[in-house]
Amino acid sequence: MMSPSVTAVIVGQGYVGLPLAQAAVDAGLSVIGLDMNEEIVRRLNAGDSHIDDIAAEDVATMIAGGYRASSDPAVIAEADVVIICVPTPLGESGEPDLRAVRGASEAIGEHMRAGTLVVLESTTYPGTTDDVVLPILESRGMVASADFHLAFSPERIDPGNTVYGIRNTPKVVGGIDAASTEAARAFYSRFVDTVVTAKGTREAETAKLLENTYRHINIALVNEMARFCHELDIDIWDVIRAASTKPFGFQAFYPGPGVGGHCIPIDPNYLSYEVQRKLGHPFRFVELAEEINNSMPAYVVTRVQDALNDNERALRGSQVLLLGVTYKANISDQRESPATRIAALLRAKGAIVTYHDPYVRVWNHTMGEPLESAPEAISAAREADICVLLQAHDEYDIAALTEASTLFFDTRGVTRDDAALRL
């Protein structure tokens, strides 16, 4: 049974680790946020935040509740629980990059004390907990089950979601044995309303991949339908609205200029990688969804070029204003945003690309020099040859932007009149 007083070290203080730290502090736990980025550590200890969902005031409250950040792995020796929340990007050839997971595991193995619960939250392929993390932890002489517990619990953070957070989003846990599963369940139950136990680590790992593969494939479906519907002169947005009235058997997904964030463009590839590696054949649904979703930025550029041609203008030399360059509305997170590729493709065709985003003052993810956001959206729209709405932030007055624009291309289906072109 875990003692009433618990110290947790959360490795990685980004979009997953910092909200987790906040929830744990709110539940009365003593939390140390371990991060190798000295600037992040400095900012956190100064009461400043570097992510959307945690305000500076929240960090100050956390510090008052006993939170501190550190870049010294030796703090792991103070922990009853160590949670790994480090990035797991894809490598250049599409394979999972587990260097951060391995590095965190090595630090934990070196410093953890007997009785520690270790939980991996970083998304990865099935078998990582047992085949990668476990051997590293045991390499220093401790034995799993006898000396420490080990489990996997997939993160379910949805940046910008004001309805579902850590407490009211069910938490899946799966341990290397029944005792590890129970230890993880008991820990997360301190600040999560519902904890769901999986059969083991591989089931918990795969559950996360199934969730995001499901979304990836269904987004690809509506993206392909959007393209067909445009050619057939059918309003895809009205089609989805009508289909959504069915009270069973249908869940609405919406087309867009591409997929972004860390989860949807990345996570299904972990599963595809492991299927190919272990079984020797492709995961065809994932590969097809990847092909379709990755083609959407180029499709958007083609539609922009067609719209300009229809108005007797060439794309080369035209000023294209991109509205919203984050991967999701109402946040500043630009990870894997399709806006980056759209901008690069437009520039390659000779367009003059400008942008406006209330959440991104300087955009560093385009070809060439960083761009500064236009100071005001309406005036920027008046100056552009075409405006492309990539992200429908709440701050945008869509009707006013449409009226101010010479051409307005809506990739999010939020316009309500024929003055705009829609995906």
Side-chain angles (χ1 to χ4, degrees), residues 308 313-321 351-354 380 382-387:
L308 288 167
R313 287 198 61 90
L315 178 57
R316 181 173 298 277
S318 289
Q319 184 166 312
V320 182
L321 174 67
I352 302 167
V353 178
T354 58
R382 291 195 181 100
E383 296 173 3
D385 294 299
I386 185 169
C387 298

Side-chain angles (χ1 to χ4, degrees), residues 51-229:
I51 69 171
D52 293 293
D53 288 351
I54 306 292
E57 295 79 8
D58 297 324
V59 178
T61 300
M62 291 167 62
I63 293 172
Y67 170 85
R68 75 180 193 271
S70 175
S71 59
D72 183 1
V75 299
I76 292 168
E78 304 176 37
D80 302 293
V81 181
V82 184
I83 307 170
I84 303 172
C85 300
V86 296
T88 48
L90 294 178
E92 291 184 2
S93 58
E95 79 286 356
D97 182 350
L98 299 183
R99 285 177 294 179
V101 170
R102 293 178 187 275
S105 300
E106 289 166 359
I108 295 167
E110 180 180 356
H111 295 286
M112 73 174 174
R113 63 192 183 190
T116 300
L117 165 65
V118 179
V119 183
L120 175 62
E121 286 210 7
S122 304
T123 305
T124 183
Y125 60 83
T128 300
T129 307
D130 288 6
D131 301 339
V132 177
V133 177
L134 177 57
I136 293 174
L137 295 180
E138 289 189 323
S139 66
R140 296 281 180 162
M142 285 197 185
V143 178
S145 301
D147 298 317
F148 66 91
H149 297 303
L150 176 62
F152 181 82
S153 181
E155 59 89 3
R156 283 173 162 175
I157 300 294
D158 184 19
N161 194 322
T162 58
V163 176
Y164 290 104
I166 289 178
R167 175 163 289 281
N168 65 346
T169 300
K171 197 86 171 82
V172 174
V173 298
I176 59 170
D177 54 27
S180 292
T181 299
E182 173 55 26
R185 186 207 63 78
F187 170 70
Y188 284 110
S189 292
R190 292 170 174 265
F191 53 89
V192 179
D193 294 337
T194 303
V195 179
V196 179
T197 57
K199 185 177 179 180
T201 57
R202 283 177 168 81
E203 286 76 16
E205 289 163 337
T206 309
K208 167 66 173 182
L209 299 180
L210 176 59
E211 294 169 15
N212 286 334
T213 300
Y214 169 80
R215 293 174 63 197
H216 189 45
I217 289 171
N218 280 281
I219 291 169
L221 170 64
V222 295
N223 275 335
E224 190 161 34
M225 284 199 69
R227 296 166 74 154
F228 291 155
C229 284

